[in-house]
């Protein structure tokens, strides 16, 4: 039904699988860690790329996030949700990245490409969007990255961000409105 | 911002994602359309942030593989000393990457162990004399298919050869990681090359497995050894294709398996073998001893040695009973000693030991059959080069001194021994030998009188004793 996206505490099969993976990874079992790497490196990369627009930075963040997971596992830190933990760390690393060099990197990218006109045009649009994205709150950015960068469902996004599905719907609503305003597309929301 | 509005937005987004147009999506909420439209237009732009040149952003496979190696390496370092049993098998496969055919026989380097050992030593000397670091670094970046790749692998083997047990552990991990990175790099380069790597099975579907993040295509030609399951550590040999899929020729499970029924009997034998043989073969086999040690420590490994041997040994053995008659020829010898010493009993005991040594080699020695001929056949010397089996006897049979006089040939054999070890790892060849055995049967008839064959099985000692007493 239309409004069927209510809070459902039932865990998806993927979540159960990840819980299992996490349990094995806590023993630092090679096969579990290998699987975690396969599963999450690309996902974290996409997330970081969505938010930073820089492939190099995205690689660094995806890599660093997983390395921190190793450390946390080694120190036997409590991890409730593997996915949630990973995206949480990646989110912090994205924030750190912008704290270090906020506007520099963006302007760099705005002038960088020497590409065919259409591609350059597209690139500029993307850069304009990226600048606009930075005006959003971290939560709003995270929701956009997950929902539109990775096509996560409302429930999956809620799980990753540790919020309720309704909160994600509200965040998504506000994020789109804020992005629209930041892009100067006009129209009241 | 009501719940109704939030849900309407979500519903429209869902509709757009499923391919509906903006207008049809909005048509469901005529009263909210004015509010929803600008948001939905923005939502249609939103995915672009995650795209590179219109495609969803994705990490470069080589970068990902390199990071995986680093990640798993770090995990190994953090892990308490217990190592995965799987890494303990480290065949010396200097030239295996040159072998294009997937069958077992062809996967084994055709160059004898002695030659490889010589190459290794040669490389070491070269390294010392010429300060071979230049070459080492030049080959370091080489990939399967490159001219210097063989040197890279030889240098790795050399490094491994001279490392202590602890360093070997680290090197095994390091080399395994390197193989994975090489595969990813070859894939990036778009070449088609024969490659090998080890990794964990992450997913198994009918035609495609995921092994440590690598797509591995499995077809009817793929030889799968040891029934790998998800979570198993495996070695994959195959061809990397430009589509970044490895077409597997051979997948061998490296970690523990449920023990086979026969396993219980044999493990002791296997363990003996190293002990018996080591003294004589130390030079050639150095790699192997390390394994055996590791196994004992971890316990888990034991099953492994027993497995791999099993399949093959079982073949060899069944034939063996008959070939083992060949030992009977030894009896023929026995007559010889007898004249001098009349010790009929002694020769037999001495034989009994002989069979045992042969077992130990079991994995390694299909050659035994070849022995049989030896006694009877003066040609022995010629064989000896090929089949080092004899050495195994020497250690086992203290009686030999008495024989030695009778057999001038033996000393010559012993030198040749080194060659065998190389087979042992590769084993595949054994089947081919067994065929050769048929020749011996013809001899066997001559020996038939020697009902004592029964001894050959382990029981022999007992049987003999009874008879003679």
């Amino acid at each position: 039904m239309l409004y069927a996206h209510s809070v459902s505490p039932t865990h998806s099969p993927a979540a159960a699988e990840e819980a299992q993976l996490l349990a094995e990874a806590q023993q630092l079992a090679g096969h579990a860690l290998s699987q975690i790497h396969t599963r999450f490196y690309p996902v974290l990369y996409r997330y970081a790329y969505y938010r930073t627009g820089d492939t190099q930075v995205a690689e660094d963040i995806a890599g660093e996030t997983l390395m921190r997971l190793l450390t946390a596992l080694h120190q036997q830190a409590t991890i409730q949700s593997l996915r949630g933990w990973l995206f949480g760390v990646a989110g912090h690393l994205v924030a750190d990245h912008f704290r270090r060099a906020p506007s520099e990197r963006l302007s760099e990218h705005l002038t960088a490409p020497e590409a065919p006109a259409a591609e350059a045009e597209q690139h500029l649009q993307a850069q304009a969007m990226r600048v606009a994205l930075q005006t959003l709150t971290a939560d709003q950015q995270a929701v956009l990255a997950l929902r539109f960068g990775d096509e996560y469902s409302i429930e999956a996004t809620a799980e990753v961000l540790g919020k309720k599905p309704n909160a994600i719907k509200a965040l998504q609503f506000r994020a789109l409105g804020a992005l629209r305003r930041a892009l100067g597309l006009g129209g009241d929301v | 911002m009501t719940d109704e509005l939030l849900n309407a937005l979500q519903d429209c987004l869902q509709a757009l994602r499923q391919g509906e147009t903006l207008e049809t999506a909005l048509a469901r909420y005529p009263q909210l359309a004015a509010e929803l439209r600008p948001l939905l237009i923005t939502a249609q732009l939103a995915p672009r942030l995650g795209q590179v040149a219109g495609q969803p952003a994705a990490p470069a496979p080589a970068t990902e593989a390199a990071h995986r190696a680093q990640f798993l390496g770090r995990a190994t370092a953090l892990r308490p000393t217990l190592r995965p049993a799987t890494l303990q098998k480290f065949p010396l496969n200097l030239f295996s990457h040159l072998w294009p055919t997937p069958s077992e026989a062809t996967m084994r380097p055709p160059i004898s162990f002695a030659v490889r050992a010589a190459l290794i030593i040669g490389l070491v000397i070269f390294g010392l004399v010429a300060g071979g670091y230049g070459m080492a670094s030049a080959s370091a970046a080489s990939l399967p298919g490159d001219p210097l790749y063989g040197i890279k692998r030889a240098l790795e083997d050399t490094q491994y050869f001279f490392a202590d047990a602890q360093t070997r552990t680290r090197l095994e991990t390091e080399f395994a990681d390197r193989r994975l990175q090489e595969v990813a790099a070859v894939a990036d380069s778009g070449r088609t090359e024969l490659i090998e790597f080890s990794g964990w099975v992450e997913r198994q579907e009918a035609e495609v497995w995921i092994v440590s993040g690598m797509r591995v295509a499995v077809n009817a030609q793929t030889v799968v050894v040891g029934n790998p399951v998800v979570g198993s550590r495996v070695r994959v040999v195959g061809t990397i294709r430009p589509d970044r899929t490895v077409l597997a020729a051979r997948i061998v499970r490296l970690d523990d398996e449920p023990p086979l029924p026969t396993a219980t009997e044999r493990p002791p034998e296997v363990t003996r073998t190293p002990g018996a043989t080591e003294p004589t073969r130390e030079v050639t086999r150095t790699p192997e001893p390390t394994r055996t040690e590791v196994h004992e420590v971890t316990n888990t490994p034991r099953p492994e040695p027993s497995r791999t041997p099993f399949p093959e040994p079982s073949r060899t053995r069944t034939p063996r009973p008959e070939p083992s008659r060949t030992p009977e020829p030894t009896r023929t010898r026995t007559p010889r000693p007898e004249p001098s010493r009349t010790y009929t009993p002694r020769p037999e005991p001495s034989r009994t030991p002989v069979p045992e040594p042969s077992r130990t080699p079991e994995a390694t020695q299909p050659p035994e059959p070849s022995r049989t001929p030896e006694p009877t056949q003066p040609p022995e010397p010629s064989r000896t080069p090929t089949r080092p089996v004899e050495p195994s006897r020497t250690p086992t049979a203290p009686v030999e001194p008495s024989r030695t006089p009778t057999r001038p040939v033996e000393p010559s054999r012993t030198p040749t021994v080194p060659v065998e070890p190389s087979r042992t790892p590769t084993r595949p060849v054994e089947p081919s030998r067994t065929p050769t055995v048929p020749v011996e049967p013809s001899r066997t008839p001559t020996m038939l009188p020697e009902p004592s064959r029964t001894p050959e099985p382990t029981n022999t000692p007992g049987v003999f004793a009874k008879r003679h007493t």
Side-chain angles (χ1 to χ4, degrees):
Chain A
M1 305 301 291
L2 297 186
Y3 301 104
H5 304 285
S6 55
V7 193
S8 65
T10 54
H11 283 276
S12 61
E17 206 179 308
E18 278 165 23
Q20 174 68 28
L21 262 187
L22 177 61
E24 288 171 30
Q26 267 152 353
Q27 321 300 320
L28 293 175
H31 67 91
L33 291 171
S34 175
Q35 221 166 323
I36 286 173
H37 196 278
T38 304
R39 188 178 290 214
F40 287 107
Y41 185 89
V43 174
L44 292 167
Y45 174 91
R46 278 199 296 277
Y47 178 78
Y49 179 79
Y50 192 96
R51 293 190 58 184
T52 65
D54 184 322
T55 55
Q56 186 69 52
V57 172
E59 277 170 6
D60 291 350
I61 289 177
E64 175 64 16
T65 303
L66 286 167
M67 285 303 189
R68 289 196 186 184
L69 173 67
L70 275 189
T71 310
L73 291 172
H74 182 57
Q75 294 168 349
Q76 303 185 331
T78 319
I79 298 176
Q80 299 288 350
S81 151
L82 179 57
R83 195 170 278 268
W85 192 93
L86 289 171
F87 278 101
V89 171
H92 286 303
L93 291 173
V94 168
D96 286 350
H97 164 71
F98 283 113
R99 212 168 290 144
R100 239 175 283 136
S103 53
E104 229 175 78
R105 289 180 175 274
L106 288 175
S107 57
E108 207 173 273
H109 282 279
L110 284 171
T111 54
E114 289 142 13
E119 210 174 299
E121 170 69 21
Q122 216 173 26
H123 189 83
L124 285 177
Q125 271 185 14
Q127 285 312 315
M129 286 192 69
R130 191 143 279 120
V131 172
L133 184 70
Q134 297 312 319
T135 66
L136 274 58
T137 69
D139 273 350
Q140 288 172 351
Q141 289 183 40
V143 166
L144 290 183
L146 292 169
R147 294 277 292 130
F148 300 102
D150 235 347
E151 305 207 339
Y152 272 42
S153 68
I154 290 285
E155 287 74 17
T157 309
E159 192 194 325
V160 166
L161 297 181
K163 296 180 187 300
K164 296 213 161 119
N166 271 337
I168 299 298
K169 286 185 200 169
L171 267 172
Q172 154 179 287
F173 185 95
R174 287 199 212 94
L176 288 173
L179 185 62
R180 174 175 182 78
R181 283 190 297 277
L183 284 170
L185 294 180
D188 293 326
V189 174
Chain B
M1 194 174 70
T2 62
D3 270 7
E4 190 193 3
L5 186 56
L6 295 183
N7 286 323
L9 172 64
Q10 172 56 24
D11 191 42
C12 288
L13 288 172
Q14 198 64 35
L16 289 180
R17 196 167 279 184
Q18 284 163 2
E20 282 188 41
T21 66
L22 185 61
E23 297 310 322
T24 54
L26 283 172
R28 302 175 191 190
Y29 303 96
Q31 328 84 315
L32 300 174
E35 251 180 304
L36 291 176
R37 186 187 301 274
L39 295 180
L40 292 177
I41 291 171
T42 311
Q44 284 176 317
L45 295 174
R48 287 201 196 160
L49 283 167
Q51 293 173 352
V52 176
Q55 296 296 313
T63 316
E64 185 178 343
H67 186 270
R68 166 197 295 282
Q70 201 187 337
F71 177 75
L72 294 177
R74 173 101 182 277
T76 310
L78 291 176
R79 201 173 300 145
T81 44
L82 189 70
R83 254 168 15 91
T86 66
L87 291 178
Q88 289 157 3
K89 284 205 169 175
F90 187 81
L92 256 188
N93 48 3
L94 268 193
F95 298 103
S96 58
H97 64 283
L98 295 176
W99 266 223
T101 342
S103 84
E104 288 202 35
T106 41
M107 286 320 299
R108 134 204 283 195
I111 301 182
S112 73
F113 189 89
V115 174
R116 281 187 290 155
L119 220 166
I120 287 178
I121 293 166
L123 270 168
V124 171
I125 293 170
F126 176 86
L128 293 177
V129 172
Y133 282 111
M135 182 143 138
S137 55
S139 67
S142 64
L143 296 174
D146 291 346
L148 287 183
Y149 187 68
I151 290 172
K152 178 184 187 176
R153 295 295 294 271
L155 284 168
E156 284 183 3
D157 284 347
T158 310
Q159 198 182 352
Y160 185 84
F161 187 89
F162 288 101
D164 59 38
Q166 214 172 2
T167 316
R168 285 185 175 193
T169 306
R170 186 175 56 76
L171 288 178
E172 285 165 7
T173 318
E174 200 178 305
F175 294 160
D177 291 345
R178 219 175 270 175
R179 296 293 87 75
L180 260 173
Q181 291 177 50
E182 286 166 4
V183 174
V186 172
D188 277 354
S189 73
R191 289 187 299 174
T192 300
E193 292 289 349
L194 184 75
I195 51 86
E196 66 163 317
F197 68 97
S198 322
W200 280 280
V201 179
E202 294 172 2
R203 196 183 313 162
Q204 276 179 316
E205 281 157 20
E207 313 232 304
V208 176
W209 295 11
I210 305 288
V211 178
S212 282
M214 202 68 67
R215 284 172 57 84
V216 176
V218 178
N219 63 22
Q221 276 74 51
T222 307
V223 179
V224 180
V225 180
N227 189 28
V229 295
V230 169
S232 299
R233 188 159 173 88
V234 293
R235 166 186 303 280
V236 177
V237 180
T239 314
I240 179 83
R241 302 183 303 205
D243 67 354
R244 302 206 155 85
T245 301
V246 174
L247 178 58
R250 188 170 154 79
I251 300 178
V252 182
R253 181 171 177 162
L254 299 177
D255 53 2
D256 293 332
E257 260 190 324
L260 300 178
T262 25
T264 28
E265 299 174 7
R266 298 192 178 176
E269 298 180 1
V270 180
T271 26
R272 286 179 210 160
T273 353
T277 24
E278 282 179 8
T280 23
R281 299 190 184 173
E282 285 177 357
V283 185
T284 31
R285 286 201 183 175
T286 5
E288 296 182 353
T290 32
R291 290 177 204 158
T292 18
E293 291 168 11
V294 197
H295 300 301
E296 294 173 359
V297 182
T298 29
N299 308 338
T300 22
R302 285 186 187 173
E304 299 180 352
S306 51
R307 281 180 232 150
T308 18
F310 285 35
E312 303 164 356
S314 57
R315 296 173 205 158
T316 18
R317 287 178 191 174
T318 24
R320 281 185 193 173
E322 302 162 359
S324 52
R325 292 162 197 167
T326 12
E328 301 172 356
T330 28
R331 295 168 194 168
T332 14
R333 299 170 194 165
T334 30
R336 295 179 190 171
E338 291 175 0
S340 54
R341 295 188 188 178
T342 17
Y343 293 117
T344 23
R346 284 188 186 177
E348 297 171 354
S350 59
R351 293 169 199 166
T352 17
V354 183
E356 294 177 354
S358 58
R359 293 172 201 161
T360 16
E362 296 175 351
T364 28
Q365 301 181 343
E368 296 183 351
S370 58
R371 292 179 199 164
T372 13
E374 297 178 357
T376 32
Q377 296 179 349
E380 292 181 357
S382 60
R383 294 176 190 171
T384 4
T386 31
R387 298 178 187 178
V389 184
E390 299 179 353
S392 57
R393 296 176 191 170
T394 6
T396 36
V399 193
E400 293 181 356
S402 58
R403 295 178 190 170
T404 1
T406 37
R407 301 182 191 172
V409 192
E410 292 181 354
S412 60
R413 296 170 192 169
T414 2
T416 39
V417 180
V419 189
E420 295 183 353
S422 59
R423 294 172 193 170
T424 356
T426 34
R427 289 165 203 174
V429 191
E430 299 181 350
S432 59
R433 296 175 191 168
T434 7
T436 42
V437 181
V439 188
E440 300 172 355
S442 59
R443 299 165 196 165
T444 1
T446 34
M447 310 233 138
L448 295 180
E450 308 165 350
S452 50
R453 294 163 197 165
T454 12
E456 298 177 353
T458 26
N459 312 337
T460 352
V463 182
F464 277 105
K466 288 174 189 172
R467 287 180 189 171
H468 291 284
T469 41

